[in-house]
Structure formats: structure tokens, C-alpha cells
């Protein structure tokens, strides 16, 4: 429900699949989390039984944001980003930008973007992919435009500072 109905943080959903897989998932989930609150359960029921037009509208908006972010990241020096599917995050290779700015790892690169540009990203090493970053596009287009502009500014000044 988090992605389809903008219920991030509510931690409720459902799955379907082969019985063996669903049973294994249920066993793991049953030992690692508690039950969803009654309010969350009711919200999910209303979302699933309600008008589904909002899902198509949100998908269209997320597609625009996704395309903007991927194109914007690919326009930045030292960053390469493949198109994503089914998420509201972009996951980009920033190894070239790290090298150009003198960052020792993706944690330092994320810190550079935050401190110098006011842009929050998540280092890829937390996902087992050092040299990458994750950035959410579940925000306004205006926010995304500012973020890409700020990253460009940081990379221009960072690369210039390293070569100076």
C-alpha cells in the first residue's frame, strides 16, 4: 500500500505467489514485526476498495519525476543512473563524481551533498553497493529541480576545488 496509495511508513501490504514462498515470507514476517494497527488496516481496506483513478494519476506523476531525476543525474559529471521500475527512488553510480571531488567513499559523498548543497541522499554502501547513492523522487517537481541544480553546483565547485 505504501507505493500504490501513498501510505509510506504505514507498513501494510499484501502478497501473492507460490504457497511455499508465501509461507516462508509469513514465517519471517511473523517473527520480525508486530501487527499493523487497526487504523492502518482500515486505511488499507478503504484504499483497496476505493476509486483506483488516484493510482493511475500518481503513477503518471511519479513517471514524470522519475524521468526528470534520471535525466538530471545522467547530466551531472561523474554520475550514471539507469532507469528504475516500480519504485520512487533512483539509484545512481557516483564513483566518477566521488573521484572528481576527492571523496573517499559514498558516505563522504553523501555528506558533501548534504553539507554543501543541502541535498539528502542515502549512500549505496548501506545497500551493498558502494560508490552509489539512492535519491527519492517522492516529492514535488520543484524540490527535485532544486536538488539537481544544487548537486550540479556542488560537483562543479567540488571538482574545481580538487583540481585547484
Amino acid at each position: 500500500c505504501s507505493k500504490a496509495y501513498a501510505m509510506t511508513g504505514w507498513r501494510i501490504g499484501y502478497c501473492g505467489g507460490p504457497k511455499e514462498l508465501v509461507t516462508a515470507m509469513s514465517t519471517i514476517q511473523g517473527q520480525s514485526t508486530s501487527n499493523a494497527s487497526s487504523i492502518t488496516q482500515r486505511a488499507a481496506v478503504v484504499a483497496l476498495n476505493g476509486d483506483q483513478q488516484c493510482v493511475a494519476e500518481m503513477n503518471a506523476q511519479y513517471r514524470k519525476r522519475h524521468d526528470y531525476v534520471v535525466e538530471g543525474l545522467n547530466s551531472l559529471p561523474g554520475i550514471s543512473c539507469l532507469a528504475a521500475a516500480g519504485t520512487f527512488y533512483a539509484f545512481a553510480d557516483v564513483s566518477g563524481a566521488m573521484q572528481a571531488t576527492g571523496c573517499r567513499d559514498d558516505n563522504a559523498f553523501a555528506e558533501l551533498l548534504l553539507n554543501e548543497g543541502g541535498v539528502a541522499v542515502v549512500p549505496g554502501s548501506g545497500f551493498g553497493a558502494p560508490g552509489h547513492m539512492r535519491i527519492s523522487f517522492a516529492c514535488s517537481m520543484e524540490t527535485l529541480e532544486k536538488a539537481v541544480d544544487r548537486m550540479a553546483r556542488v560537483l562543479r565547485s567540488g571538482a574545481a576545488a580538487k583540481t585547484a
Side-chain angles (χ1 to χ4, degrees):
C1 294
S2 64
K3 291 177 179 71
Y5 301 103
M7 294 173 63
T8 54
W10 291 56
R11 302 296 184 238
I12 191 164
Y14 58 91
C15 71
K19 183 177 181 177
E20 302 80 29
L21 179 60
V22 173
T23 299
M25 291 169 62
S26 179
T27 300
I28 292 170
Q29 187 275 334
Q31 300 303 314
S32 63
T33 63
S34 61
N35 293 321
S37 72
S38 60
I39 295 168
T40 300
Q41 291 177 49
R42 179 68 180 144
V45 168
V46 170
L48 291 166
N49 289 321
D51 181 3
Q52 300 300 300
Q53 181 58 34
C54 65
V55 176
E57 292 168 3
M58 283 191 289
N59 280 341
Q61 289 304 312
Y62 282 129
R63 173 55 57 197
K64 287 179 188 175
R65 295 172 192 169
H66 164 273
D67 293 349
Y68 177 81
V69 168
V70 170
E71 183 179 325
L73 291 173
N74 282 322
S75 74
L76 299 175
I79 297 181
S80 174
C81 186
L82 298 174
T87 183
F88 40 71
Y89 300 104
F91 202 74
D93 180 337
V94 296
S95 54
M98 287 169 37
Q99 183 177 9
T101 56
C103 291
R104 69 185 175 285
D105 58 28
D106 54 358
N107 290 300
F109 185 72
E111 190 173 325
L112 173 74
L113 291 179
L114 182 60
N115 293 334
E116 300 299 322
V119 178
V121 301
V122 180
S125 57
F127 303 98
H132 290 74
M133 72 173 187
R134 183 179 86 165
I135 185 168
S136 171
F137 51 85
C139 55
S140 71
M141 186 61 83
E142 179 183 6
T143 298
L144 296 172
E145 290 167 352
K146 287 179 184 177
V148 171
D149 287 346
R150 289 175 181 180
M151 286 188 283
R153 184 183 40 125
V154 168
L155 292 175
R156 282 193 306 270
S157 65
K162 184 178 181 214
T163 58

